[in-house]
Amino acid sequence: IYIIILTVLSLLPAKIAVASGYGDKWEHFVAYCALSCLARTSFRKTNVFKIWLVCSAYGGVLELLQHFSPGRCMDFLDFGVNTIGALSCFFIKTRINR
C-alpha cells in the first residue's frame, strides 16, 4: 500500500501535487527512509545492501517517470536525497536493535 501511495504522490501533476510544507527535500528523505524501513522490516532475511539498492532504484525510476507528469521534471538532487533517505534507515534500525 505504501508503494502505491508513494508512486501516486510522486507522479501527480504539479497543479495538484501534495506538499507538507516542510520542503521538497525533507519530504523525499522521510518518504524513502520510511520505504526502506518498511522493506527491512518485511524482508528481514534479505541483505540490507539489496534493500537499499532496490529502494534507491525505485526512487530513480520515479524521478525518471516524472518527466511524463504534467508540470513535473526529474531532479538528480531529489534522487540523491531519496538514496540518502533509504540508506539512513539502516543506521536507525542498527541503533534501535542494540
Side-chain angles (χ1 to χ4, degrees):
I1 293 172
Y2 184 77
I3 289 175
I4 293 169
I5 292 169
L6 186 57
T7 302
V8 169
L9 291 175
S10 296
L11 300 178
L12 281 172
K15 287 184 178 181
I16 57 173
V18 179
S20 68
Y22 289 104
D24 175 53
K25 303 309 179 240
W26 181 248
E27 293 166 356
H28 281 265
F29 180 84
V30 171
Y32 284 88
C33 181
L35 175 65
S36 188
C37 287
L38 286 170
R40 177 135 190 234
T41 302
S42 299
F43 304 103
R44 293 180 190 269
K45 294 183 181 184
T46 303
N47 182 315
V48 294
F49 177 75
K50 288 180 184 178
I51 292 172
W52 172 74
L53 190 63
V54 168
C55 291
S56 296
Y58 178 69
V61 167
L62 287 180
E63 284 300 320
L64 290 172
L65 289 174
Q66 284 183 356
H67 175 72
F68 302 104
S69 186
R72 305 285 295 261
C73 62
M74 56 186 182
D75 183 356
F76 290 110
L77 189 55
D78 285 348
F79 172 67
V81 174
N82 296 348
T83 301
I84 293 168
L87 183 62
S88 68
C89 167
F90 302 111
F91 294 107
I92 294 168
K93 291 293 281 184
T94 301
R95 306 280 283 168
I96 291 171
N97 289 338
R98 284 188 180 178

